[in-house]
Amino acid sequence: MTVLTPDALPALQRRTVAILSLGQVLGGIAFGSTVSLGALLAADLSGDDALSGLATASVTLGAAAFAIPLARFAARRGRRLSLTAGNLLALIGVFVVITSAALRVFPLLLVGIVMIGMGNAGNLQSRFAATDLAAPKHRGRDLSIVVWSTTIGGVTGPLLLTPGEALGQAVGMPPLTGSYLFALVAQFAALMLYLVALRPDPLLTALKMAATPSRAAALGASVDRPVSARYAIFAVSGSHAVMASVMAMTPIHLSHMAHGHGGAGEMSEEVTLLVGVTIALHVAGMYGLSPVFGILADRWGRVRVVLLGQAVLAASLGTAIIAGEHAAGVMIALILLGLGWSAATVAGAALLTESSTVEMRPRRQGISDSLMSLTAAVGAAGAGVVLTNFGYGGLSAVALVIVVAISVMSPWGRIRESVPA
């Protein structure tokens, strides 16, 4: 492997960020389709709305189970092969989901969604790959650019529901699976992109540079701050749990509203469109302003932007409690939910990276992604029960407790934290 000088680092970093961003555009299409359709497919195949949350739970459970092994694999073989492996699993998962819908086998659906979640662990890893060679003063910005690029695919995925259904019917696909045709093409393209273009590998290059003190300084990799790292992991996983649990139940809640709270019933085109538009707006909130939050994290400090995210999450949950029985109120709440998640996730990931040496980063990043997905899986699984018994407002009130905890514990993140110059 050729060892780069610090002067050559910016050009390689720009190229790496561009490749990761394009990969996130492609991967976002598959993820957006899964988020929008998973709960509806689960409710349809199981015949029980209370089990609909298992779809999002399965996505996050798959990501949780695979995050640490994938991080260890990345530490040994690099980001290129780990991201390729993630996309391959997701591609297989999409085939399994389509098969489960054709056979109407609910457990097989969950297996496919788990595999898509395992692939999503690779998509999550992309944001950390953007920081491997980043200069400390631009770490939040570079990370947020990769996060932002998911907007294109993530918004497109839900909006492809209606045309996807028409295409699926034309080729004889099972109901609610048509848009997965687009996901198959996008997932394969992302796999080939990482395999062919992500050279030299950013993590392997960073590890080699870190072995030389002068080169390690260019990466800001000489100081380890475990207390700040622990808070970053808690803030990111908690914010993700809030987002995932509320988002997972929104399609079911909107379906209930459209049918007078009498159950999901037959999925009409109007309900599918309402769900698709609402989730698309939510995903736009998740990713659309992430570069703004990345720049703010670089200039204001990581913990301040994490707290900004908690304030926006609180506003979202408050809107859901007050106006959650109106479609417009749900849309506003979901947009704010995405914005709050974005601020907390971008700033928290930057804080975790800068609190760790290069050698420690893959391990802690894997732990962070695993806990983030695991807490979200638990939240999404329980969200269906909470929604059934306490309604959408009750679910939002429960999620608000986590927001308060992250805010109260923020002084732990400030320990040893230095605001980037």
Side-chain angles (χ1 to χ4, degrees), residues 88-180:
L88 179 60
L89 282 169
L91 188 63
I92 297 172
V94 173
F95 279 108
V96 173
V97 166
I98 295 172
T99 302
S100 72
L103 300 176
R104 298 199 62 79
V105 178
F106 178 61
L108 185 61
L109 171 70
L110 297 183
V111 170
I113 294 177
V114 165
M115 295 186 70
I116 293 174
M118 294 170 73
N120 192 46
N123 285 336
L124 292 173
Q125 193 183 95
S126 293
R127 73 192 193 283
F128 289 124
T131 68
D132 289 335
L133 298 174
K137 65 180 179 180
H138 296 312
R139 184 171 291 128
R141 182 200 65 186
D142 290 354
L143 184 152
S144 66
I145 288 173
V146 174
V147 172
W148 174 85
S149 65
T150 311
T151 307
I152 301 173
V155 172
T156 302
L159 292 179
L160 289 174
L161 292 185
T162 300
E165 282 305 290
L167 178 61
Q169 289 177 5
V171 298
M173 292 183 66
L176 296 175
T177 63
S179 65
Y180 280 113

Side-chain angles (χ1 to χ4, degrees), residues 1 18 54 110 141 187 347 363 375:
M1 179 189 298
L54 291 180
L110 297 183
R141 182 200 65 186
Q187 203 75 64
R363 176 176 176 273
T375 55

Side-chain angles (χ1 to χ4, degrees), residues 26-334:
L26 297 169
I29 293 176
F31 177 70
S33 298
T34 301
V35 168
S36 300
L37 292 174
L40 296 177
L41 274 170
D44 179 45
L45 296 185
S46 69
D48 188 349
D49 286 349
L51 297 179
S52 58
L54 291 180
T56 299
S58 296
V59 171
T60 51
L61 186 61
F66 201 54
I68 293 177
L70 194 65
R72 290 175 177 171
F73 182 63
R76 294 193 306 268
R77 302 297 300 275
R79 301 288 192 191
R80 182 176 70 90
L81 292 183
S82 66
L83 293 176
T84 300
N87 277 274
L88 179 60
L89 282 169
L91 188 63
I92 297 172
V94 173
F95 279 108
V96 173
V97 166
I98 295 172
T99 302
S100 72
L103 300 176
R104 298 199 62 79
V105 178
F106 178 61
L108 185 61
L109 171 70
L110 297 183
V111 170
I113 294 177
V114 165
M115 295 186 70
I116 293 174
M118 294 170 73
N120 192 46
N123 285 336
L124 292 173
Q125 193 183 95
S126 293
R127 73 192 193 283
F128 289 124
T131 68
D132 289 335
L133 298 174
K137 65 180 179 180
H138 296 312
R139 184 171 291 128
R141 182 200 65 186
D142 290 354
L143 184 152
S144 66
I145 288 173
V146 174
V147 172
W148 174 85
S149 65
T150 311
T151 307
I152 301 173
V155 172
T156 302
L159 292 179
L160 289 174
L161 292 185
T162 300
E165 282 305 290
L167 178 61
Q169 289 177 5
V171 298
M173 292 183 66
L176 296 175
T177 63
S179 65
Y180 280 113
L181 284 174
F182 302 116
L184 288 172
V185 174
Q187 203 75 64
F188 180 76
L191 183 154
M192 295 305 299
L193 173 71
Y194 290 134
L195 185 63
V196 174
L198 197 59
R199 303 169 184 265
D201 189 276
L203 180 56
L204 296 182
T205 302
L207 287 169
K208 193 150 190 176
M209 291 182 67
T212 305
S214 61
R215 293 191 176 98
L219 301 177
S222 58
V223 179
D224 192 52
R225 295 174 250 188
V227 175
S228 294
R230 292 188 196 105
Y231 174 75
I233 291 172
F234 173 68
V236 169
S237 60
S239 299
H240 190 67
V242 169
M243 185 277 294
S245 60
V246 175
M247 180 193 65
M249 290 299 100
T250 296
I252 300 300
H253 176 61
L254 290 173
S255 178
H256 287 174
M257 289 170 54
H259 293 89
H261 300 272
E266 184 75 18
M267 290 295 111
S268 67
E269 183 175 334
E270 291 76 13
V271 174
T272 303
L273 180 61
L274 176 61
V275 170
V277 171
T278 300
I279 297 299
L281 290 172
H282 167 67
V283 174
M286 288 175 65
Y287 303 115
L289 293 184
S290 56
V292 174
F293 296 128
I295 293 171
L296 290 178
D298 287 336
R299 295 183 179 180
W300 290 0
R302 319 306 185 192
V303 175
R304 289 177 182 173
V305 179
V306 169
L307 289 175
L308 173 63
Q310 302 315 300
V312 178
L313 286 175
S316 166
L317 298 173
T319 301
I321 293 171
I322 296 172
E325 296 305 312
H326 305 280
V330 173
M331 286 185 181
I332 293 171
L334 264 288

